[in-house]
Amino acid sequence: MTFPPVRVLGSAARVLESQETGRTYQINVGLPLGYDRAPDEAWPFDATPERWPVIYVLDGNWYFGLVTDTIRRMAWCGGTTDAIVVGIGYPEPDDPIDAFRVTFTRRNHDLTPVPDLAIDQQMEARHGLPCPSGDAPNFHRFIQHELIPLIEREYRVDPARRILMGHSYGGLFTTYSLFTAPTLFQTYIIGSPSLGYGERFAFQYEASYAQAHQELRATVYWSVGEDEEDLHYRTLSTTLQFAAIVESRRYAGLTFKKHIFMEQDHCAVAGPGFQWGLKQALKR
């Protein structure tokens, strides 16, 4: 017996070759279910506005479907709007274990801002694949100069409502983006960021930013799980310490909200953390 492939409604995938990184990406785009409908045809979904909020989701292989369907289900009850979702991921081999392994090693390169050779060696020993790190600057340029212009050329997105979201290494990259080009996105949803990575590079990066800037015009939703302290990076304490530093700066223009999810570990907290951030970011 054969079964039809599983897909996310109203979505499409495309493959992009990046000039900035020299690597290949699978980009999944999920459109609001009422995207092409007139108001009287779209009910009970959002009727088509002129422009939609757009959410860029890191680790798209894992989180694109979760985020797309979470947004649609919340919008159904009317408290939040629907949005265009852009999942940034990688082409996958057919074997599911190989696909997970390839995704896990590829993200290590793109989402980390500086190399960490010790982590590279550990990852290669565990997964049996080369696992370089530290190419977040080029990956950020890919998003800024290649991906965003493509999405905004081909879809009716609102450039004033760009949202970037990520968890773990994705949260580390989202933090890096926040202090690299704060106005590229208006909202940042940051879950359990691996801020201990690279000898606590993120702390150094924020301190350098604070020396040169008194404003940070962005909205940040910052979350972590109660049961994350046993990880290599001591994610709970480092996240709360970093959040306290950012709050103490009193950056002009910054809206900063944080949340600790009780009885959630590093892997389990991604879902509730994303849902909480999306509820805030897309509130009507």
Side-chain angles (χ1 to χ4, degrees), residues 7 12-13 45 55 76 90 104 111 123 129 141 173-174 214 237 245 256 260 266 269:
R7 65 184 183 91
F45 304 100
I55 300 168
W76 177 278
Y90 309 102
F104 210 90
L111 301 180
M123 293 282 284
L129 293 171
R141 284 190 286 271
F173 179 86
T174 307
Q214 294 183 332
S237 59
I245 291 171
F256 190 91
I260 301 173
H266 187 69
V269 77

Side-chain angles (χ1 to χ4, degrees), residues 244-260:
I245 291 171
V246 171
E247 290 176 312
S248 73
R249 305 290 190 197
R250 300 188 182 277
Y251 288 114
L254 176 64
T255 298
F256 190 91
K257 295 184 179 181
K258 63 180 184 290
H259 190 87
I260 301 173

Side-chain angles (χ1 to χ4, degrees), residues 161-227:
R161 296 191 71 186
R162 288 191 205 128
I163 300 166
L164 179 65
M165 62 188 303
H167 173 264
S168 191
Y169 273 6
L172 172 64
F173 179 86
T174 307
T175 304
Y176 170 79
S177 179
L178 173 64
F179 291 100
T180 297
T183 59
L184 182 60
F185 299 92
Q186 288 70 48
T187 302
Y188 295 81
I189 300 174
I190 301 176
S192 307
S194 302
L195 300 175
Y197 175 89
E199 303 296 330
R200 293 163 60 98
F201 171 82
F203 286 82
Q204 305 165 37
Y205 202 72
E206 187 280 335
S208 297
Y209 181 92
Q211 288 181 346
H213 302 85
Q214 294 183 332
E215 69 175 26
L216 183 61
R217 299 201 172 275
T219 299
V220 179
Y221 299 108
W222 188 271
S223 64
V224 68
E226 178 190 28
D227 298 334

Side-chain angles (χ1 to χ4, degrees), residues 62-84:
W62 302 342
Y63 298 129
F64 169 72
L66 169 70
V67 171
T68 301
D69 286 331
T70 296
I71 290 171
R72 289 171 178 172
R73 190 64 180 138
M74 289 194 303
W76 177 278
C77 291
T80 54
T81 65
D82 210 333
I84 294 172

Side-chain angles (χ1 to χ4, degrees), residues 227-271:
D227 298 334
E228 294 198 64
E229 192 61 13
D230 59 345
L231 289 177
H232 173 68
Y233 296 128
R234 301 187 66 186
T235 301
L236 175 61
S237 59
T238 55
T239 298
L240 295 180
Q241 182 183 1
F242 193 90
I245 291 171
V246 171
E247 290 176 312
S248 73
R249 305 290 190 197
R250 300 188 182 277
Y251 288 114
L254 176 64
T255 298
F256 190 91
K257 295 184 179 181
K258 63 180 184 290
H259 190 87
I260 301 173
F261 287 88
M262 298 294 102
E263 300 181 347
Q264 297 286 349
D265 63 20
H266 187 69
C267 297
V269 77

